[in-house]
Amino acid sequence: MAPGIPDFVPVRDSKFAPQGPALVFRAAAWAAFVNGLKRGAV
């Protein structure tokens, strides 16, 4: 979660572009993606 925008999660490639642009996902969609990874569905 990002401060000031609790409904969205900004994601960026911190290894190659730590100050670069971020993709922004709704928090619920990001949680579903992460849970899918944990279950091995993705």
Side-chain angles (χ1 to χ4, degrees):
M1 302 274 183
I5 51 171
D7 294 334
F8 296 94
V9 177
V11 179
R12 80 167 75 111
D13 186 343
S14 61
K15 288 183 182 176
F16 297 106
Q19 301 303 319
L23 296 173
V24 180
F25 298 93
R26 290 198 174 273
W30 184 253
F33 173 72
V34 170
N35 287 331
L37 287 175
K38 289 178 181 178
R39 289 190 317 271
V42 180

